[in-house]
Amino acid sequence: MSLLTETRKLIVPPRTAPGPSPLARAAVPPLAPGALPGLGHAGALLRDPLGFLGSLSRHGGVVRIRLGPRTVCVVTDARLVHTLLVALAHDCPRGAVQDTLKTAFGDGLLMSEGQAHRDRRRIIQPAFGPDRMGEYLAVMQQVTEERAARWHPGQVLDVAKEMNHLALEIVTRSLFDARLSEDATIAFHRALPDLVKGQIVQSLYPKPSLARLPLPVNRRFDNAVRVLNRVVDQAVNGRAPTAGTWTGAGAGARHTLPALLRAATDPATGCPLTEADVRSEAITMFGAGTETVSTTLTWLLDELLRHPEAEARILDELDEHLPVGTVPTPEALARLTYTRSVTQEVVRLHAPNAFLMRTAQVPVELGPYRVPAGTELLYSLTALHRDPVRYPEPTSFRPERWQDGGGTGRPSFLPFGAGKHKCIGEAFAWAELTVAAAAILRRWRPTAVPGSRAREVVWTTVQAHGLRVRLAPRGARSPRGRTSAASRDGDAAASPGNAVASSQGEPPDRCPFTGADRATAPAPATTSAAPTSPAAPAAPQPHTHLRLAADRHADWVVRHGLLTPPELPRYRAYALHELIGHAFPRTRGAELDLLVDMLGWFTILDDRFDGSPGRHPDEARALVDPLIAVLDGAPGGSPSESHTLLSWRELWQRQTASMSPEWRARAAREWRACLATFPAEADHRARGTVPALGLDLTDTMHLRRHGSCLYPFMNILERVHGADAPAALHAEPALHRLRANTADAATLINDLYSLRREERQPGAAFNTVIALQRAHGCTRSRAVHSVRAQVVRLQQESEELRRELLCRHPAGRWYLDGTRELIAGVLAWTSTSNRYLVPDRGRRR
């Protein structure tokens, strides 16, 4: 029974029933709406290819579109695509896009059909047999390590370009035992875009003869074909030096793909294959084995930058099953189950084939649809792999969806095709992705250059453009898989098992962020030890200044009725004044008092939401709405006003006194967003849409970003400095990102330290560690490690942003330095404050 249940889970019901039906009853596929006179749907396809193709599934499993005078049927249902590729492969051969390459490069494996394709596949298959994989793995690792060794610390890497060169070199050395010159490598990559563009344009010509016209696109295509032929000739005829290569002495040319082809006989003629046949197959391997693999490697690195917890798990798994210094084997790769899940998810989310085509040579049926002879059939692997029916949260990176066999048998997952034309190098490609990524990540820790993340550029493939990373050497990792204390990862943590307190709620004996003993190591100065990391925060306020400010604040909260005298000792143990001392190290007098009073008022308000208002939206709004009304200029003076509201009126007046209208407007906006998070969280709890249970992690972080009160305190930097930051600086998108990073890092630090206390509260906690455990089903230690890694990444990215902004706005240095001091102060205080050791209290600062 359990086997039947699991089988049903793996086979997702199709959107449209593809069962056979009599031809007389089959339906004509519906026409997609929005066709324009003369153009049809060409404009929509060109403007947003992936969005347009992905939108068609709502109209049916097969949908007609018009591209100028031509009608094309788009197959949107994964099961129907599987039928097209397997059951109908003979009746629906490859279409016009492949015919363009056939004209240029000959009738190779990629372009041939029928018996010719079967014969050629039998000849080439031994080159990809299991007995050859061990040799290929060794050369994959060697080539990647050689290329990665050429990079240097601090170098900014154009990832797509480097992965293109790497993939080309792996194919050349593995299959051809050759080395291309640098000029040939550059020429190859420059020619590819013109080849792809020409392939698309020529496939859309109403008459093939138009490809012979001297149009610029045709000339560039023809030149690209000549360049690729020259490069392939160099690889086919010029072998690499034997010494030091994987083939070893005496291996000779019999191990290479060209040698295999030259020794074969064409079954159709009984004659040896011609040199044109050898070149045609070589070009197939260069094209299929370079661009798609390099693009996937680029997306893989981009996703790991966005998900450092996945990178950490990959490194841990490599340490366990593929120790440093060992040559990868097929058996070792089979044990890298999480790494395989990550690569599968990258391939799903970023399927390299934007669209592929077949042509119906005879009338065929696809499920309930009738397709006439001569119809061109188009399908998009990218759209299929982002189908929300088959992949919940389709645009989210979720490697766990592939674990425990979750991807086995999915007819909707077709990255290498299906049927007789399924990619012959599938095993080679999966191995290349794993081995190359492992070699790169073990040597280097990439960090994204601000504003330089990967973006989709669509031709026949979905390419990754724009990703640039700065390289830092990866620190030595201990046998347990974590980075040593001297690592540049900024993750010098003790074992995750010691990262949090026991389930009984005792105070943790080790810092949740650094793993250091809380009794002896109060706090790190910074979470990043990269060469460009910030210096240690400025020394906190002299103890006398802070102690007197704390005394004045205690008097203030009692005088305003916020606390009673008996409540003061427990409250004062939080040492809020020390947070202000760390975060605003040069502030004195009235400004110091204002900051301590602001933080104290917010902390007391926050504690109230651990009770009934935190679970009842009406109570939450009754508390917050009058506070927001103060920001909007509502008059006061009513005898019924609460102590919280009266003290808030005074604080708002003290904050805004003598400040510019622009600053007051910005401060009001930030406080309004901050206070609005209280009823929003209460509403989510009441409806049950809490983090990972109806509210995804991205939306949770957006909500809590403002709830940390870091934005108002970043505004206060300008008050204590005595001037507004430059208007041009405030207009910078990079500053908006820096401020968001600062707030997010503070929130995540808080989540690490308040974890055990929040678990004991009656309402659902908005805590990232808990949410990660729910969403991904991971262990507590893994979730803690992930949150720590995210804080490190945020701070590293923030340093890049500060450098970028400082170059353009040197007059704003004091503000940029202030954001660094603020987050460093949060970390220094959070690691020592007794607020996090007191049960059943608040959740924020």
Side-chain angles (χ1 to χ4, degrees), residues 371-387:
V371 178
T375 301
E376 291 177 293
L377 295 155
L378 181 149
Y379 62 95
S380 168
L381 291 183
T382 309
L384 294 177
H385 291 174
R386 296 179 184 178
D387 183 353

Side-chain angles (χ1 to χ4, degrees), residues 155-176:
Q155 178 180 352
V156 174
L157 207 67
D158 183 330
V159 177
K161 177 182 177 181
E162 284 295 318
M163 295 306 102
N164 278 333
H165 285 260
L166 174 62
L168 179 61
E169 193 170 356
I170 286 175
V171 168
T172 306
R173 297 265 293 275
S174 298
L175 298 180
F176 300 89

Side-chain angles (χ1 to χ4, degrees), residues 160-244:
K161 177 182 177 181
E162 284 295 318
M163 295 306 102
N164 278 333
H165 285 260
L166 174 62
L168 179 61
E169 193 170 356
I170 286 175
V171 168
T172 306
R173 297 265 293 275
S174 298
L175 298 180
F176 300 89
D177 192 19
R179 293 178 187 266
L180 294 177
S181 67
E182 187 67 17
D183 289 343
T185 300
I186 294 172
F188 179 87
H189 291 300
R190 286 178 176 171
L192 275 180
D194 290 333
L195 181 78
V196 172
K197 293 174 186 177
Q199 178 189 9
I200 295 173
V201 172
Q202 291 187 14
S203 70
L204 296 176
Y205 286 156
K207 295 181 180 180
S209 60
L210 294 177
R212 295 193 293 272
L213 294 178
L215 301 173
V217 65
N218 292 340
R219 290 200 302 269
R220 288 192 293 268
F221 177 81
D222 293 340
N223 183 63
V225 170
R226 287 191 292 271
V227 169
L228 293 182
N229 275 310
R230 286 199 301 269
V231 172
V232 169
D233 283 343
Q234 185 182 128
V236 169
N237 299 315
R239 295 186 60 251
T242 300

